Amino acid sequence: MKNKRKPLIELRKISKVYTQYGTEIIALDNVSLKIFPRDFVSIIGPSGSGKSTLLHCMGLLDRPTSGKVFIENKDTSKITGKEIATLRGKKIGFVFQNYNLIPRLTVIENVMLPGLIIGGEKSKLIDKASELLEEVGIKHRAQHKAVHLSGGEQQRVAIARALINDPVVVIADEPTGALDSESSGGIMELLTKLNRERKVTIVFVSHDLEIAKYGKRNILLRDGKIIKDSYESRIRDILKEASKTGKEVWR
């Protein structure tokens, strides 16, 4: 059935080619993709399939070699520099494998930072950051320095930070990659809750197929191309598709 909702993010025939030691490497090959409101998307694929490159292009952290990226129908190929940074700051929240918190700042200062960067009012950001920290279960650590937190706690702070500017989508690159299994489960349950209750749109990459199962929509990449994209397929069905080419390394 055709999705009648307007996409928040749309990739139109994007390719990404890197040159390494004089050899061209195709990371993405003519990929088209739409991300819709309230989606909870897991992107999986073997090592080198283009998962992180796809996220980086989607999140305007990198430019495709060809093709276009639209954010709420805005053609980002027509803007550069500061405009890209502003659009990215307002529309996209990021969660990284290694958290990317600033150790010398307190937890609440880390959460507020993206809001301050785009010119938000400090007093309002303090209140909003406090609310978000309570929502992700880490408010009691608000005045602690980020460096003193456990990995799971740091990732909860990173999720709160990703939400501070009310982005249209949160992009998470291996959000549980540096965590143990218990902490990983807690982070994915939190993301599931945010998707369900706050209706936050989430796109995440994971090499861990148990983590990928949390996605309500599953996308399989191989050799820079989308092989399968379904709201209904279970991970084991996607793996049947993946197994057609034999043994692959999932990282």
Side-chain angles (χ1 to χ4, degrees), residues 93-245:
F94 294 95
V95 179
F96 300 98
Q97 177 176 345
N98 293 317
Y99 328 124
N100 287 11
L101 301 181
I102 298 177
R104 62 183 175 81
L105 296 182
T106 64
V107 162
I108 196 166
E109 288 169 342
N110 269 283
V111 175
M112 292 168 56
L113 191 57
L116 294 171
I117 288 172
I118 66 169
E121 187 178 326
K122 186 174 181 179
S123 60
K124 291 182 179 179
L125 287 171
I126 290 173
D127 292 340
K128 189 172 183 179
S130 295
E131 292 171 4
L132 285 169
L133 287 172
E134 183 169 13
E135 190 168 357
V136 302
I138 202 75
K139 187 178 180 180
H140 62 290
R141 298 283 251 161
Q143 299 305 322
H144 290 243
K145 293 293 177 69
V147 71
H148 296 145
L149 273 60
S150 69
E153 289 174 328
Q154 288 190 61
Q155 198 61 296
R156 287 176 181 271
V157 175
I159 291 169
R161 179 187 59 188
L163 296 171
I164 193 69
N165 290 335
D166 297 314
V168 299
V169 63
V170 171
I171 290 177
D173 194 355
E174 297 280 6
T176 64
L179 303 176
D180 59 33
S181 58
E182 182 177 353
S183 297
S184 295
I187 290 300
M188 294 312 300
E189 291 294 342
L190 174 58
L191 291 175
T192 299
K193 179 182 177 182
L194 292 170
N195 176 254
R196 181 180 66 247
E197 297 181 2
R198 287 180 62 105
K199 300 177 175 54
V200 175
T201 302
I202 297 170
V203 182
F204 72 97
V205 157
S206 180
H207 72 276
D208 186 333
L209 300 181
E210 291 301 314
I211 295 298
K213 289 179 182 178
Y214 283 89
K216 296 175 184 176
R217 175 184 176 190
N218 309 119
I219 294 174
L220 170 64
L221 280 183
R222 187 192 297 122
D223 298 328
K225 295 182 178 182
I226 293 177
I227 304 301
K228 193 172 185 65
D229 179 358
S230 176
Y231 285 93
E232 300 172 358
S233 292
R234 291 175 291 183
I235 293 296
R236 67 184 183 187
D237 298 321
I238 284 184
L239 291 183
K240 287 181 183 178
E241 185 74 31
S243 68
K244 291 178 181 179
T245 59

Side-chain angles (χ1 to χ4, degrees), residues 47-79:
S47 178
S49 60
K51 302 185 296 295
S52 290
T53 302
L54 179 62
L55 277 197
H56 291 171
C57 288
M58 190 185 303
L60 307 181
L61 293 173
D62 201 358
R63 293 269 197 171
T65 304
S66 61
K68 294 184 176 183
V69 178
F70 293 80
I71 306 294
E72 292 189 321
N73 207 38
K74 185 177 184 66
D75 184 354
T76 64
S77 68
K78 297 182 178 179
I79 59 176

Side-chain angles (χ1 to χ4, degrees), residues 1-6 36 39 231:
M1 183 181 294
K2 188 175 181 180
N3 200 321
K4 295 182 179 180
R5 294 174 294 168
K6 293 182 179 179
F36 296 97
D39 268 354
Y231 285 93

